[in-house]
Amino acid sequence: MSLALFALSLPIFLSCNEEPISKAKKTSQPAAVGAWETVLDNTSFASTAAFQSKWNYLYPWGADHNGSARMQSSKLALSGGVLTISATPTSGVGNSTQNPFLPIRYYSGACHAKSQVLINDQFPEWEVRVEAQVPTVRGTWPAFWLTGVNSWPPESDILEFKGSSVNWQNTFDGPDWTSVNTQTILTTVSSPGSWHSYRAWITKVNSTDVDIHYYVDGAWKGVHRAPNFVGKPMWLIINMQMEGSSGSPGPTSTRTYKTRNPYIGRTRAW
Ligand SMILES: *[C@@H]1O[C@H](CO)[C@@H](O)[C@H](O)[C@H]1NC(C)=O
Ligand SMILES: *[C@@H]1O[C@H](CO)[C@@H](O)[C@H](O)[C@H]1NC(C)=O
Ligand SMILES: *[C@@H]1O[C@H](CO)[C@@H](O)[C@H](O)[C@H]1NC(C)=O
Ligand SMILES: *[C@@H]1O[C@H](CO)[C@@H](O)[C@H](O)[C@H]1NC(C)=O
């Protein structure tokens, strides 16, 4: 199907069918194309034991990144299928070990799925989504995103709020952060502190390129075609960084970021 045809058919497809793409496609495409299978779902948030079997604490590379929060496993709490990440102010504990080495001013939480996302001939389509309640005050930087295991790029940000009610859905196809390698869809979300859903549907185009379709609350927001994604495993990370890109100074009291119903699905071609 041509891209134009595809893009045209998508909003219609979504408006007549509220089912997740994974389920809908199962019935609308011949079995030979490949069957959808669940890699990760909300049962991983049902208990601490279930969580620990499917998720690791912190970032894949450790506790620090490019904001002023240092991650600790104790900042994650599970209750009733909801994962709550709390960021609490701290001081006097030194600087982040990651560029740009900001002074650590918060303890917060991060986790990453043990299963990686890998787009290739065997698994040509993926769906990654979550429901979230996000803080939007200056200095809060909640995210739900994919980033390369062995290289950067690839990166796909499915949920990223930087101190406002605007969600940033970014695709980075590298080799740097310049605009030529960055595609962004901005969506203003009303009441982002209430539950909303954030989703990416990734389809393999050829041996290097993918199309990443982004959604908020089931509404299609756009598609990014990007090289550097095929055959490159990615981590799925849920975290709340602080300050950095989301502005400073950040809040002087605890802020929370809640997620539920995480999902990773893929088609198996053979
Ligand atoms: C997972 O999702 C199913 C279907 O929506 C729901 O019935 C169930 O309560 C959810 N479980 C958790 C732990 O959220
Ligand atoms: C921490 O970062 C601040 C602000 O960038 C800088 O002035 C300071 O020298 C850094 N401290 C250390 C120990 O690296
Ligand atoms: C993949 O498709 C892109 C267009 O999206 C094209 O520019 C590129 O040359 C193709 N690569 C291969 C290896 O076919
Ligand atoms: C911080 O890292 C994230 C993930 O790689 C990236 O999207 C973002 O642009 C970086 N921001 C800054 C200010 O370095």
Side-chain angles (χ1 to χ4, degrees), residues 206-258:
N206 62 23
S207 62
T208 57
D209 288 22
V210 295
D211 280 340
I212 308 182
H213 297 263
Y214 290 101
Y215 303 78
V216 175
D217 290 330
W220 185 78
K221 297 299 174 182
V223 56
H224 294 160
R225 173 153 305 184
N228 280 317
F229 275 77
V230 176
K232 307 211 170 171
M234 293 185 285
W235 297 113
L236 173 63
I237 302 173
I238 307 176
N239 71 273
M240 180 153 62
Q241 248 315 329
M242 298 293 283
E243 301 187 318
S245 290
S246 64
S248 67
T252 55
S253 60
T254 298
R255 289 297 187 278
T256 58
Y257 165 37
K258 292 176 188 284

Coordinates of all heavy atoms in Angstrom, one line a residue, residues 206-258:
N206 N 11.8 -0.8 5.0 CA 12.8 -1.6 4.3 C 13.9 -2.0 5.2 O 13.7 -1.9 6.4 CB 13.2 -0.8 3.0 CG 13.9 0.5 3.3 OD1 14.4 0.7 4.4 ND2 13.9 1.4 2.4
S207 N 15.1 -2.3 4.7 CA 16.1 -2.8 5.6 C 16.7 -1.8 6.5 O 17.5 -2.2 7.4 CB 17.2 -3.5 4.7 OG 17.8 -2.4 3.9
T208 N 16.4 -0.5 6.4 CA 16.9 0.5 7.3 C 15.8 1.4 7.9 O 16.0 1.8 9.0 CB 17.9 1.5 6.6 OG1 17.1 2.1 5.5 CG2 19.1 0.8 6.1
D209 N 14.7 1.5 7.2 CA 13.7 2.6 7.6 C 12.5 2.0 8.3 O 12.0 0.9 7.9 CB 13.2 3.4 6.4 CG 14.3 4.3 5.8 OD1 15.5 4.1 6.1 OD2 13.9 5.3 5.1
V210 N 11.9 2.8 9.2 CA 10.6 2.5 9.7 C 9.7 3.7 9.6 O 10.1 4.8 9.4 CB 10.7 2.1 11.2 CG1 11.5 0.8 11.5 CG2 11.3 3.3 12.0
D211 N 8.4 3.4 9.7 CA 7.4 4.5 9.9 C 6.9 4.3 11.4 O 6.6 3.2 11.8 CB 6.2 4.3 9.0 CG 6.4 4.8 7.6 OD1 7.4 5.6 7.4 OD2 5.7 4.4 6.7
I212 N 7.0 5.4 12.1 CA 6.4 5.4 13.5 C 5.2 6.3 13.5 O 5.3 7.6 13.3 CB 7.5 5.9 14.5 CG1 8.8 5.2 14.3 CG2 6.9 5.8 15.9 CD1 9.9 5.6 15.3
H213 N 4.1 5.7 13.8 CA 2.8 6.5 13.9 C 2.6 6.8 15.4 O 2.7 5.9 16.2 CB 1.7 5.6 13.4 CG 1.7 5.3 11.9 ND1 1.1 6.0 10.9 CD2 2.4 4.3 11.3 CE1 1.4 5.5 9.8 NE2 2.2 4.5 9.9
Y214 N 2.3 8.0 15.7 CA 2.1 8.4 17.1 C 0.7 8.8 17.3 O 0.0 9.4 16.5 CB 3.0 9.6 17.4 CG 4.5 9.3 17.4 CD1 5.3 9.6 16.4 CD2 5.0 8.7 18.6 CE1 6.7 9.4 16.4 CE2 6.4 8.4 18.6 CZ 7.2 8.8 17.5 OH 8.6 8.5 17.6
Y215 N 0.2 8.4 18.5 CA -1.2 8.6 18.9 C -1.3 9.2 20.3 O -0.4 8.9 21.2 CB -2.0 7.3 19.0 CG -2.0 6.5 17.7 CD1 -0.8 5.8 17.4 CD2 -3.1 6.5 16.9 CE1 -0.8 5.0 16.2 CE2 -3.0 5.8 15.7 CZ -1.9 5.0 15.4 OH -1.9 4.3 14.2
V216 N -2.3 10.0 20.6 CA -2.6 10.4 21.9 C -4.1 10.2 22.1 O -4.9 10.6 21.2 CB -2.3 11.9 22.2 CG1 -2.8 12.3 23.6 CG2 -0.8 12.2 22.1
D217 N -4.5 9.5 23.1 CA -6.0 9.1 23.3 C -6.6 8.5 22.1 O -7.7 8.8 21.7 CB -6.7 10.4 23.8 CG -6.3 10.8 25.2 OD1 -5.9 10.0 26.0 OD2 -6.4 12.1 25.4
G218 N -5.9 7.7 21.4 CA -6.4 6.9 20.3 C -6.5 7.8 19.0 O -6.8 7.2 17.9
A219 N -6.1 9.1 19.1 CA -6.2 9.9 17.9 C -4.8 9.9 17.2 O -3.8 10.2 17.9 CB -6.6 11.3 18.2
W220 N -4.7 9.7 15.9 CA -3.5 9.6 15.2 C -2.9 11.1 15.0 O -3.6 12.0 14.6 CB -3.8 9.1 13.8 CG -2.6 8.9 12.9 CD1 -1.7 7.9 13.0 CD2 -2.2 9.7 11.8 NE1 -0.7 8.0 12.0 CE2 -1.0 9.1 11.2 CE3 -2.7 10.8 11.2 CZ2 -0.4 9.6 10.1 CZ3 -2.1 11.4 10.1 CH2 -0.9 10.8 9.6
K221 N -1.7 11.2 15.5 CA -1.1 12.6 15.5 C -0.1 12.8 14.3 O 0.3 13.9 14.0 CB -0.4 12.8 16.8 CG -1.3 12.8 18.0 CD -2.3 13.9 17.9 CE -3.4 13.9 19.0 NZ -4.4 14.9 18.8
G222 N 0.4 11.7 13.7 CA 1.3 11.8 12.6 C 2.2 10.7 12.5 O 2.2 9.7 13.3
V223 N 3.0 10.7 11.4 CA 3.9 9.6 11.2 C 5.3 10.1 10.9 O 5.4 11.1 10.2 CB 3.4 8.7 10.0 CG1 3.2 9.4 8.8 CG2 4.4 7.5 9.8
H224 N 6.3 9.5 11.4 CA 7.7 9.8 11.1 C 8.4 8.7 10.4 O 8.4 7.6 10.9 CB 8.5 10.1 12.4 CG 8.1 11.3 13.1 ND1 8.4 11.5 14.5 CD2 7.3 12.4 12.8 CE1 7.8 12.7 14.9 NE2 7.2 13.2 13.9
R225 N 8.9 8.9 9.2 CA 9.7 7.9 8.5 C 11.2 8.2 9.0 O 11.7 9.3 8.9 CB 9.6 8.0 7.0 CG 10.6 7.0 6.4 CD 10.2 6.6 5.0 NE 8.9 5.9 5.0 CZ 8.4 5.4 4.0 NH1 9.0 5.4 2.8 NH2 7.2 4.8 4.0
A226 N 11.8 7.1 9.4 CA 13.2 7.3 10.0 C 14.1 6.1 9.6 O 13.7 5.0 9.8 CB 13.1 7.4 11.5
P227 N 15.3 6.5 9.2 CA 16.4 5.4 9.1 C 17.0 5.1 10.4 O 16.6 5.7 11.4 CB 17.4 6.1 8.2 CG 17.3 7.6 8.5 CD 15.8 7.8 8.9
N228 N 17.8 4.1 10.5 CA 18.6 3.8 11.7 C 17.8 3.1 12.8 O 18.1 3.1 13.9 CB 19.3 5.0 12.3 CG 20.5 5.4 11.6 OD1 21.3 4.5 11.3 ND2 20.7 6.6 11.3
F229 N 16.6 2.5 12.4 CA 15.8 1.8 13.4 C 15.8 0.3 13.2 O 15.5 -0.5 14.1 CB 14.4 2.3 13.4 CG 14.2 3.5 14.3 CD1 14.6 4.8 13.9 CD2 13.6 3.4 15.5 CE1 14.4 5.9 14.6 CE2 13.4 4.5 16.3 CZ 13.8 5.8 15.9
V230 N 16.0 -0.2 12.0 CA 15.9 -1.6 11.7 C 17.1 -2.4 12.2 O 18.2 -2.0 12.0 CB 15.6 -1.9 10.2 CG1 15.5 -3.4 9.9 CG2 14.3 -1.2 9.8
G231 N 16.8 -3.5 12.9 CA 17.9 -4.3 13.4 C 18.7 -3.8 14.6 O 19.8 -4.2 14.9
K232 N 18.1 -2.7 15.2 CA 18.7 -2.1 16.4 C 17.9 -2.2 17.6 O 16.8 -1.6 17.7 CB 19.0 -0.6 16.1 CG 19.7 -0.4 14.7 CD 20.6 0.8 14.7 CE 21.5 0.7 13.4 NZ 22.2 1.9 13.2
P233 N 18.3 -3.1 18.5 CA 17.4 -3.3 19.7 C 17.3 -2.0 20.5 O 18.2 -1.2 20.6 CB 18.2 -4.3 20.5 CG 19.6 -4.4 20.0 CD 19.5 -3.9 18.5
M234 N 16.1 -1.8 21.1 CA 15.8 -0.6 21.9 C 15.2 -1.0 23.3 O 14.5 -2.0 23.4 CB 14.8 0.3 21.2 CG 15.3 0.9 19.9 SD 14.2 2.0 19.1 CE 12.9 0.9 18.5
W235 N 15.6 -0.2 24.3 CA 15.0 -0.3 25.6 C 13.7 0.5 25.6 O 13.7 1.6 25.0 CB 15.9 0.3 26.7 CG 17.2 -0.4 26.9 CD1 18.5 0.1 26.6 CD2 17.5 -1.7 27.4 NE1 19.5 -0.7 26.9 CE2 18.9 -1.9 27.5 CE3 16.6 -2.7 27.9 CZ2 19.5 -3.0 28.0 CZ3 17.2 -3.8 28.4 CH2 18.6 -4.0 28.5
L236 N 12.7 0.0 26.4 CA 11.6 0.9 26.8 C 11.8 1.4 28.2 O 12.0 0.5 29.1 CB 10.3 0.1 26.7 CG 9.0 0.8 27.2 CD1 8.7 2.0 26.4 CD2 7.8 -0.1 27.3
I237 N 11.8 2.7 28.4 CA 12.1 3.3 29.7 C 10.9 4.1 30.1 O 10.3 4.8 29.3 CB 13.3 4.2 29.6 CG1 14.5 3.4 29.1 CG2 13.6 4.9 30.9 CD1 15.8 4.3 28.8
I238 N 10.6 4.0 31.4 CA 9.6 4.9 32.1 C 10.4 5.6 33.1 O 11.0 4.9 34.0 CB 8.4 4.1 32.7 CG1 7.7 3.1 31.7 CG2 7.4 5.1 33.3 CD1 6.6 2.3 32.4
N239 N 10.4 6.9 33.1 CA 11.1 7.6 34.1 C 10.6 9.0 34.3 O 9.9 9.6 33.4 CB 12.6 7.7 33.7 CG 12.8 8.7 32.6 OD1 12.8 8.3 31.4 ND2 13.1 9.9 32.9
M240 N 11.0 9.6 35.4 CA 10.7 11.1 35.6 C 12.0 11.7 35.9 O 12.5 11.7 37.1 CB 9.7 11.4 36.7 CG 9.5 12.9 36.8 SD 7.9 13.4 37.4 CE 7.8 12.7 39.0
Q241 N 12.7 12.3 34.9 CA 13.8 13.2 35.1 C 13.3 14.5 35.6 O 12.1 14.8 35.7 CB 14.6 13.4 33.8 CG 16.0 12.8 33.8 CD 16.8 13.0 35.0 OE1 16.7 14.0 35.7 NE2 17.7 12.1 35.3
M242 N 14.2 15.4 36.1 CA 13.8 16.7 36.6 C 14.7 17.8 36.0 O 15.9 17.5 35.6 CB 13.9 16.7 38.1 CG 13.0 15.7 38.8 SD 11.2 16.1 38.6 CE 11.0 17.4 39.8
E243 N 14.2 19.0 35.9 CA 14.9 20.2 35.4 C 15.5 19.9 34.0 O 14.8 19.3 33.2 CB 15.9 20.7 36.5 CG 15.2 21.0 37.8 CD 16.1 21.7 38.9 OE1 17.2 21.2 39.1 OE2 15.6 22.6 39.5
G244 N 16.8 20.3 33.8 CA 17.3 20.1 32.4 C 16.4 20.7 31.4 O 16.0 21.9 31.5
S245 N 15.9 20.0 30.4 CA 15.1 20.5 29.3 C 13.7 21.0 29.8 O 13.0 21.6 29.1 CB 14.8 19.4 28.3 OG 15.9 19.1 27.6
S246 N 13.3 20.6 31.0 CA 12.0 21.0 31.5 C 12.0 22.3 32.3 O 11.0 22.7 32.9 CB 11.4 19.9 32.3 OG 12.1 19.6 33.5
G247 N 13.2 22.9 32.4 CA 13.3 24.2 33.0 C 13.7 24.1 34.5 O 13.6 23.0 35.1
S248 N 14.2 25.2 35.0 CA 14.6 25.2 36.4 C 14.4 26.7 37.0 O 14.4 27.6 36.2 CB 16.0 24.8 36.6 OG 16.9 25.7 36.1
P249 N 14.2 26.9 38.3 CA 14.2 25.8 39.3 C 12.9 25.0 39.2 O 11.8 25.5 38.9 CB 14.3 26.5 40.6 CG 13.7 27.9 40.4 CD 14.0 28.2 38.9
G250 N 13.0 23.7 39.5 CA 11.9 22.8 39.6 C 11.1 23.0 40.9 O 11.5 23.8 41.7
P251 N 10.1 22.1 41.2 CA 9.3 22.2 42.4 C 10.1 21.9 43.6 O 11.1 21.2 43.6 CB 8.2 21.1 42.1 CG 8.8 20.2 41.1 CD 9.7 21.0 40.3
T252 N 9.6 22.5 44.7 CA 10.3 22.3 46.0 C 9.6 21.3 46.9 O 9.9 21.1 48.0 CB 10.3 23.7 46.8 OG1 9.0 24.1 46.9 CG2 11.2 24.7 46.1
S253 N 8.6 20.6 46.3 CA 8.0 19.5 47.0 C 7.8 18.3 46.0 O 8.0 18.5 44.8 CB 6.6 19.9 47.6 OG 5.8 20.4 46.5
T254 N 7.4 17.2 46.6 CA 7.3 16.0 45.8 C 6.3 16.1 44.7 O 5.2 16.7 44.8 CB 6.8 14.8 46.7 OG1 7.9 14.7 47.7 CG2 6.6 13.5 46.0
R255 N 6.6 15.6 43.5 CA 5.7 15.5 42.4 C 5.6 14.0 41.9 O 6.6 13.3 42.0 CB 6.2 16.3 41.2 CG 6.0 17.8 41.5 CD 4.5 18.2 41.6 NE 4.3 19.7 41.7 CZ 4.4 20.4 42.8 NH1 4.9 19.8 43.9 NH2 4.2 21.7 42.8
T256 N 4.4 13.6 41.4 CA 4.3 12.2 41.0 C 3.9 12.0 39.6 O 3.2 12.9 39.0 CB 3.2 11.5 41.9 OG1 2.0 12.1 41.7 CG2 3.6 11.4 43.3
Y257 N 4.3 10.9 39.0 CA 4.0 10.5 37.6 C 3.5 9.1 37.7 O 4.1 8.2 38.2 CB 5.3 10.6 36.8 CG 5.4 9.9 35.5 CD1 4.3 9.9 34.6 CD2 6.6 9.3 35.0 CE1 4.4 9.3 33.3 CE2 6.7 8.7 33.8 CZ 5.6 8.7 32.9 OH 5.7 8.1 31.7
K258 N 2.2 8.9 37.2 CA 1.6 7.6 37.3 C 1.4 7.0 36.0 O 1.0 7.7 35.0 CB 0.2 7.7 38.0 CG 0.2 8.1 39.5 CD -1.2 8.3 40.0 CE -1.2 8.9 41.4 NZ -0.8 8.0 42.4

